[in-house]
Amino acid sequence: VDAFELGLKTNFTRAFQFNSSLFRAELKGYQNLAFTGSFFEVQNFDKVISQGVELESIIRPASDLTFALNYTYLDTEIKDVLAGSDNGRPLTNSPKHVITGAVTWTPQLSDNVGGLVHVDWRMNSDANTLNDPVGVPFTTNDGYGIINARVGVNFGPEGNFGVEAYVENLFDKYYNITAFPIPEQSSSFAVYPSAPRFYGVKLKAKF
């Protein structure tokens, strides 16, 4: 692995932090685990190049309120003349643009009771789940966003106990986790779907 990174970390005040980095890596003999439709197969690529930019920021306008906002630009390329349709294409499930963020509010409701409100999200640009040119139009994920949320309270002298309601994939967004060719059915493909929206309640206790 030949890797290079140039970064900047700042901490202007407790209320604002900003980090950034440029990176490039050349991965020789890269191994990629892929599902063929019947079994998992380890693909050996001669070289994979991964390069991009990462930006991270944290804003704390108050002691109990935090905002986080991050951005990643990722450019990957498979370089292997024996890799068939993968050669010259990006790694699967590697969107070029990813934005993530979160808001966390932890108000003190009383001497022994604290609150929690948390929302986080992730937005991806388009990304292939496989590189077969026949299957790409039917299996590629268009850009999408996922939002999760939690609301809860903790109580006790040291916040020993708590109850929390949560929801994952709040807006029930569908996307493909991966795709694969269907065995013995030429030019046919199947996908594994994402998890649907789900929610629940957590109880916590520390002794």
Side-chain angles (χ1 to χ4, degrees), residues 14-18 56-60 66-70:
R14 186 184 183 281
F16 180 65
Q17 297 177 29
F18 177 78
E56 302 175 348
S57 63
I58 298 175
I59 302 172
R60 297 186 182 92
T66 302
F67 296 89
L69 185 62
N70 310 306

Side-chain angles (χ1 to χ4, degrees), residues 33-96:
L33 187 64
F35 186 58
T36 65
S38 300
F39 54 87
F40 284 95
E41 177 183 69
V42 177
Q43 300 172 318
N44 292 287
F45 297 140
D46 181 53
K47 182 191 295 185
V48 169
I49 295 177
S50 175
Q51 57 189 355
V53 178
E54 290 184 338
L55 306 175
E56 302 175 348
S57 63
I58 298 175
I59 302 172
R60 297 186 182 92
S63 60
D64 59 359
L65 182 61
T66 302
F67 296 89
L69 185 62
N70 310 306
Y71 168 75
T72 299
Y73 171 79
L74 178 63
D75 180 28
T76 64
E77 183 181 2
I78 299 166
K79 289 183 173 292
D80 188 339
V81 295
L82 301 179
S85 59
D86 286 308
N87 185 40
R89 303 300 299 273
L91 289 171
T92 55
N93 289 315
S94 298
K96 278 188 177 293

Side-chain angles (χ1 to χ4, degrees), residues 14 19 29 54 59 62 65 81 84 91 102 104-105 108 111 119 121 123 150 183 189-190 192 194 196 202 204:
R14 186 184 183 281
N19 304 321
E54 290 184 338
I59 302 172
L65 182 61
V81 295
L91 289 171
T104 304
W105 183 37
Q108 192 65 34
D111 289 343
V119 179
W121 62 90
M123 299 176 64
R150 292 182 287 141
F189 300 86
Y192 280 119
S194 59
K202 294 181 181 179
K204 298 186 293 184

